[in-house]
Amino acid sequence: MRSSPRNLWVRRHLIWALTLSNLKRQNKSSALGYLWWLLDPLLMTGVYYLVVGVLFHRGNPPEQPYLLFLLCGLISWKAFSDSVGQSVLAIRAQAAIVKAISFPKAVLPLAVVLSNTAYFLIAILVAVGLAVYYGPEHGTWPNLYYLMLPGVVLLQVLVTAGLSLLVAALGVLYQDTGNITGHVLRMWYFLSPGLYSLSMVPERARPIFRLNPFAELMTAYRDILIHGRCPAWEDLGLAAALGLASLLAGFLVFRRLEGRLVQRL
Amino acid sequence: MKPENVIEVEGLGMLYRVPRSRRTSLREALFRSLLRRDEIMEVWALREVAFELRRGESLGVVGDNGAGKSTLCLLLSQIMEPTHGRVEVAGRVSALLSLGAGFQADLTGRDNIFLQGMYLGQAREEIRARQDEIVEFAELGDFIDVPVRTYSSGMRARLAFAIAAAIKPEILIVDELMGVGDQRFRQKSAARMRELIAEARALVVVSHGMDTIRSLCTRTIWLDRGRLLADGPTDEVVRRYEARGG
């Protein structure tokens, strides 16, 4: 059975159940369990803060608390790269059921995307907490623009879902998908304004950097959480266009390859 | 599709391309044109197979190992897609192919009932309505709320059969699955199977047991190395199959 919007909709409860089971599984197998939802983004940010901010005295854009600045970029990136990274093996890991029941295989990477989105939402709460801690001096008090956060997250989910579908199918067909994905993601992160801000990129190179949806997305999270201002609409429009393009391309490639997946497991 | 048919199969061909190294690496994909032919083994599991099944008929599939019987089941249940040809099936298909293969070991039996039902495209309410029946039939008692990891193989098989049997399929596809659990459960599952067959619109049975085929099927096809060798009344085809040389 091929993935189509219709038979994915029929299985929306399945996608949800798989999402929950991903979340449960990841937390049951560790001693600190759900605490990792908070610890992960904090520790990760701490490491970068130490290395880039404290040791190198670099990357501190004026008038911004660098810790919060880093956190905004990192949690957004982690949600994306974890989804894509885990999707490589999402279908292979369920080989037994794929070979026993006819169902649209796209439910597997989509559930990976959703469970990582759940982590992301928790991490955003951590960032909100930090923004409130810094107060209006360097962060924000909760304001109306917070209501735009789910919208920005949704744009990110579009980008993520497209890429995750792509690597999920390729991961079954080619065993080096995982290695390549790992390297591409690392390069991609350093080309995204995670450790620096877009304004620090040489002006001539900026239009190219902007073709990366994370240039817009990370800037948007920071606009809302650090500056308490509305993200630029043209940024959001560009991110939406890139997100839809990613989803469409990923879905079409997935559909094309889907028929070949079962016999390769 | 003709209205009196529930299954139509036409010009069916299934080619397995088996790389000698089990998975293809990107290097191989890029240089596939440079690969010598013998690095990918091509196997036609089915070739030019065609038949129709009418409402109310039950079809036996016989043939030696490697004849393509299991591949046919995978294609009829739409788990795989054919290389050539067309498979059309009218109605909800349930395939009893590999019992319990899809269980999530860390989830409880009850969670697995829901998960499997949802994979099959059923609504939560439908599954909820049937779960008591499944639990009772599988005879798992309190184990139903314990992770499947802890089950014995017999318990797994019982749960899997109970789930598969509960969905009341319109078309039932069975691949060599008569022996589930102990003697008593086997009788119980055989009885349930007969009920399912009575309710289903069509049945496809793959078996090496000629008695099973004779007792269940009105019509039988004989596959030999992927090709359809015979198609006709069960008695006739089974007699020819049993009289085959070698």
Side-chain angles (χ1 to χ4, degrees), chain A residues 1-2 10-11 13-14 16-18 21 25 92 94 96-103 105 108 173-176 180 259 262-265, chain B residues 14-17 19 22-27 29 74 77-81 97-98 101-102 104 106-107 111 115-116 118-121 124:
Chain A
M1 185 182 291
R2 295 272 177 121
V10 168
R11 284 171 180 75
H13 297 300
L14 172 64
W16 185 240
L18 290 171
S21 110
R25 191 174 46 241
R92 198 174 279 290
Q94 300 298 328
I97 199 145
V98 171
K99 287 192 278 190
I101 295 180
S102 169
F103 68 96
K105 264 63 81 183
L108 297 171
L173 299 178
Y174 306 110
Q175 63 176 344
D176 0 30
I180 294 175
V262 178
Q263 65 159 304
R264 297 298 288 278
L265 288 171
Chain B
M14 185 72 208
L15 175 70
Y16 289 117
R17 293 166 57 86
R22 215 176 72 80
R23 295 182 209 158
T24 327
S25 71
L26 195 69
R27 178 176 51 83
L74 287 169
S77 47
Q78 278 150 9
I79 291 170
M80 278 197 314
E81 290 179 20
L97 300 185
S98 36
Q104 294 275 326
D106 286 336
L107 297 180
D111 286 345
L115 205 55
Q116 296 243 317
M118 286 189 283
Y119 269 116
L120 290 163
R124 224 185 271 269

Side-chain angles (χ1 to χ4, degrees), chain A residues 71-87:
Chain A
L71 189 67
C72 289
L74 266 175
I75 57 177
S76 143
W77 183 257
K78 183 176 158 56
F80 171 72
S81 70
D82 282 0
S83 293
V84 175
Q86 291 164 17
S87 290

Side-chain angles (χ1 to χ4, degrees), chain B residues 73-94:
Chain B
C73 286
L74 287 169
L75 293 175
L76 287 176
S77 47
Q78 278 150 9
I79 291 170
M80 278 197 314
E81 290 179 20
T83 317
H84 292 310
R86 179 175 75 91
V87 176
E88 271 187 69
V89 179
R92 190 171 56 241
V93 183
S94 172

Side-chain angles (χ1 to χ4, degrees), chain A residues 143-146 148 152 219-225 227-236:
Chain A
N143 58 64
L144 268 181
Y145 297 121
Y146 275 27
M148 294 180 74
V152 184
T219 308
Y221 294 122
R222 286 175 186 142
D223 278 337
I224 295 170
L225 284 169
H227 306 291
R229 67 185 176 213
C230 182
W233 287 104
E234 62 263 32
D235 281 8
L236 295 179

